Each structure stands twice: as C-alpha cells, then as structure tokens.
Amino acid sequence: MSARARVLALLFASVALASFAVALPAGHGAGTAAGAGDCTVDPSLDSEERAFLTLINNYRVQNGLAPLTLSYGLSRASAWKSKDMAANRYFAHDDLTRTWVDRIRDCGYGYNTWLGENIAAGYTTAQQAFDAWRNSPGHNANMLGANYTTIGIGRYYDASSPYGWYWTTDFGGVSDGFVWASDAPVTLSPVAPQPAGYAPPALGRAARRKAASKHKR
C-alpha cells in the first residue's frame, strides 16, 4: 500500500463514514411516494456487492438475527446514491436537492417502516467496507438492526472523485423482493459461512477496469 493510500485509509476510517436510522411516522403507508427526484440507475449487483450481502448476513446470523433479503427499491436508492456522491464530489446522506428519505421514496421504496443508511468512501472491497462499518458503533447498529429485514447495496467508482470508490447500504423493515431489468425474480444461491479471517481477494487491474466500466454506464 502506498503512503498516500495509507493516509487515505486512515481518513476514510475517521471521516468518510456516516449512518442514519429513523422510524417513519404513520401516514406514509405502503406504495411509492410521489417523488420529484431522479432515480435512473442500474441496481444490479457486482461481485463485491454480492460479497457484502454474504458478509452482513453471516454476521447477523452469528449474532442471532435473521439474514436480510435483497431489496430492488433499496438497491436502486443505494446505487444512485453512490454514483451521485462520486459524480458530484460530496459525502453526505442528503442529496444536493433532497433528503435521503426522499431519495429512497423516489426509488420506489415507499413503505411505512424503519429505514437506515450507511455510507462510506475509499474502500474497494466488500470486506474493507464491512470491517469499517463493523468497527463503528453507529454503522454496526444499523447492520445488526433487529427492525430491518431487507437491504439495498450499491458501490460506484470514479477515478477523478476525491475517494475513488463510494459505498451505500440502505436498510428497510419491509421486504419487497428484487428483480432485474427483465423483471425476472432473482434467487441468490446459498453461500456457506466463510471461515474466520476470510477476506475476498482485492480486484486485479482487469477486474477494476471491468467494474469501473459497469458503474460508469
């Protein structure tokens, strides 16, 4: 790891992490909100985003909690958020023109339920992002939230942005399922718990180019 990377890693661990959790008041009801914001994004998961789903669900099971299902609406919200932070060079839960809750509503998740969000920047792999959040009390509380049943996961890479990689996870209390662009339901294959100390391998140069190309669409 270069000296610059080491310095950035320390910065990310201290400042490039943020979490929110809120119980929405009655009156929002089921269904989507009439939002005016944009949510044009591809919510499909890459290999590291899928690895994060495995990591967090293994972690929840180890702590006596049910695993989280993958949410289509929340994945849209997460993917959009990570891309927007990279493209517009900011790091905050609220977007430049709307709140983080409004974004989740605009992306189609309109249930009256618990919502939470973790964001991070500068972490390439699922393991790195997971470890950073696990070691931060507020983020860890979201990952182990008993009120949550579903999750959206999104990361985005922009080489010209301040942090390079941006991660967002959105949590909800109503499972809405996950469909790809074809509207066909996706069944995730069961993955055996990883041994202690397991870390997904870092992306090689070719894999980084492929991931960056996917997220720049």
Side-chain angles (χ1 to χ4, degrees):
M1 180 182 289
S2 68
R4 177 176 180 274
R6 286 195 295 271
V7 171
L8 290 178
L10 293 174
L11 174 65
F12 301 147
S14 60
V15 301
L17 292 170
S19 64
F20 264 111
V22 64
L24 296 182
H28 286 273
T32 60
D38 175 43
C39 194
T40 304
V41 69
D42 176 9
S44 58
L45 271 63
D46 65 19
S47 60
E48 288 298 320
E49 292 162 341
R50 285 178 176 264
F52 185 87
L53 182 64
T54 298
L55 286 168
I56 190 172
N57 278 340
N58 287 344
Y59 184 47
R60 285 176 63 87
V61 170
Q62 291 164 7
N63 284 274
L65 297 165
L68 301 171
T69 64
L70 189 62
S71 164
Y72 178 70
L74 293 179
S75 288
R76 292 181 72 206
S78 295
W80 189 96
K81 180 62 176 180
S82 292
K83 180 177 180 179
D84 193 60
M85 287 192 294
N88 290 297
R89 280 47 172 177
Y90 73 98
F91 186 79
H93 287 282
D94 289 344
D95 305 340
L96 299 181
T97 59
R98 61 183 169 179
T99 71
W100 68 282
V101 174
D102 286 339
R103 167 178 33 90
I104 289 174
R105 299 309 192 197
D106 288 340
C107 290
Y109 192 84
Y111 301 96
N112 177 27
T113 187
W114 287 87
L115 293 177
E117 178 171 278
N118 286 348
I119 58 176
Y123 301 100
T124 303
T125 68
Q127 188 72 57
Q128 291 168 348
F130 173 81
D131 288 343
W133 283 330
R134 182 181 56 186
N135 292 326
S136 170
H139 301 89
N140 190 59
N142 270 349
M143 293 201 299
L144 295 179
N147 292 312
Y148 299 135
T149 61
T150 190
I151 188 174
I153 306 167
R155 70 170 188 155
Y156 189 84
Y157 179 73
D158 185 335
S160 64
S161 67
Y163 296 121
W165 286 101
Y166 292 77
W167 283 82
T168 305
T169 50
D170 286 311
F171 301 87
V174 176
S175 298
D176 62 343
F178 190 94
V179 294
W180 301 97
S182 64
D183 291 331
V186 173
T187 302
L188 297 178
S189 300
V191 179
Q194 303 294 347
Y198 168 80
L203 293 178
R205 182 175 300 174
R208 286 197 302 269
R209 286 198 300 266
K210 182 178 180 181
S213 174
K214 167 189 178 296
H215 285 283
K216 286 184 178 180
R217 288 202 300 261

